[in-house]
Amino acid sequence: MAKMKAIEAAAKILELEGVTKAFGVPGAAINPFYAALKGLGSISHVLARHVEGASHMAEGYTRANPGNIGVCIGTSGPAGTDMITGLYSASADSIPILCITGQAPRARMHKEDFQAVDIESIAKPVAKWATTVLEPGQVPGVFQQAFHIMRSGRPGPVLIDLPFDVQMAEIEFDPETYQPMTPYKPAATRIQVEKALTMLNSADKPLLVSGGGVINADAAALLTEFAEVLNVPVIPTLMGWGTIPDDHGLMAGMCGLQTSHRYGNANLLASDFVLGVGNRWANRHTGSVEVYTKGRKFVHVDIEPTQIGRVFGPDLGIVSDAKAALELFVEVAKEWKAAGKLKDRSAWVAECQERKRTLQRKTHFDNTPVKPQRVYEEMNKAFGRDTTYVSTIGLSQIAAAQFLHVYKERNWINCGQAGPLGWTIPAALGVCAADPGRNVVALSGDYDFQFMIEELAVGAQFKLPYIHVLVNNSYLGLIRQSQRGFDMDYCVQLSFENINAPELGEYGVDHKAVVEGLGCKAIRVFKPEDIAPAFEEAKKLMAEHSVPVVVEVILERVTNISMGVEIDAVNEFEELAEKGEDAPTAISLLD
């Protein structure tokens, strides 16, 4: 057996588990790990400006491609606490990332040593597993187990905390004998699938609901194939957006209180049966359980047993990895189709398509200041089918889900459940690091953009180019809109007269100056007719300089975006589309 430092074994295991890139910020307590990475030479490193930023970069990296696991590294104390938001975000959306922290030597951990904190206890509620390794000989097993846990069952993040003396200790470790552990993934049985299909086949107006678990399982093609064999419409959740192309005849729209289509809600409400795969019935998708479930039966397929019945009890629950279930669903459905057992769904599909054709929101506004709907219309024109959108939270993200188009899995990368402001920039950089040739377009409101704006310097330093669309209304727009119910507009205005940028009027922060100061390029737009030329210029600047390029669009201060408290009671604050020219980039034109 070969003798080496425990931390060298840890670095080698990362390599053997397929890791090629890491994100982080070095510090004294984790320097042994950085020495091991330097000695190994096979794992490149992106230096973040903030450890929370590194954790979101790791998450964007994981989400970019099947099989990826992003790695975030930091020192002891505040580096670990800075990672907590990233761990929570990843855990909430079932995203595996590996967070590695340094720690004080074991003898000093209980003595209030400098930057010594019980990060294991802090991280446990927001991680799939968190551990402080107290014996050097356990380091290889802990790292092996970390990858096994991240990949098994419902994916999720892990934190490993490494005391300095544990890292430095010599252990026996033979890399030639190391093998990754086979992940555990439950699989549906044939009898379960046949019962589910029997229920679906007996319904008159069935739907499939496709969740983020379909993307995690790399099963989008199977989901689409299953829908096509059955000829049954699909409602993707926000996390499952892209599992069926937006322009597919069976794409029936997204359902929900905010990130939804008018036709998506209408189609769900018209259905009498729903088969959900890899979804968790999130409240912003369902609204109240009473409205969502009334008059329809449900089958729920999910990899995590405790998700079955968590929100409401389905008529049939199946614990299974989405890919394993869909492979069997396709197999049985094809057999039934060949035998002539499947119902003709053409009338139901046509009904859903007619709603998709007619229930559109207006996007073509010529107002100055710009109405946000026009920005998404111009984005649809400017950015192609292969574009990967990255966004986080707020009115900008909600409107994006209502108006943008996604045609492929992993082309909508969104922090769904946690929604931390500031996530967008580092996550977009993580996507670019995972796939340097990818067309990445990020979208932020001004407050999300300001939260972790310093990470743009990472894009400049490491040549991670993408386009960032910044819609600026100088407001906490979503919170302002929600405050309407309290009859107030309080502590949500970001506006002020910037003495250094009088051309901005009351719009406050000079984002263009800040972006350029961080080594990137920026374009500011005030009029709707200037948006398209700005996007074209941004593409040229990105190609020329290989840095992030920000296109800031100055919006009208107050716009209320469609949303409600129930899926049958969404408030439409703006004009609706009555003819094709009202929504020229909608998937289905009205005329």
Side-chain angles (χ1 to χ4, degrees), residues 411-426:
N411 274 14
W412 172 256
I413 294 180
N414 179 227
C415 178
Q417 184 182 345
L421 285 164
W423 187 89
T424 309
I425 292 174

Side-chain angles (χ1 to χ4, degrees), residues 262-309:
R262 293 177 65 211
Y263 52 90
N265 283 347
N267 284 329
L268 190 286
L269 290 165
S271 70
D272 62 0
F273 175 88
V274 175
L275 168 55
V277 182
N279 65 305
R280 57 182 182 84
W281 312 117
N283 70 302
R284 293 195 176 187
H285 167 80
T286 64
S288 72
V289 168
E290 292 74 22
V291 170
Y292 190 81
T293 60
K294 185 179 180 181
R296 54 194 64 88
K297 292 185 176 181
F298 289 85
V299 173
H300 189 197
V301 180
D302 197 86
I303 197 169
E304 172 54 48
T306 63
Q307 287 292 336
I308 306 295

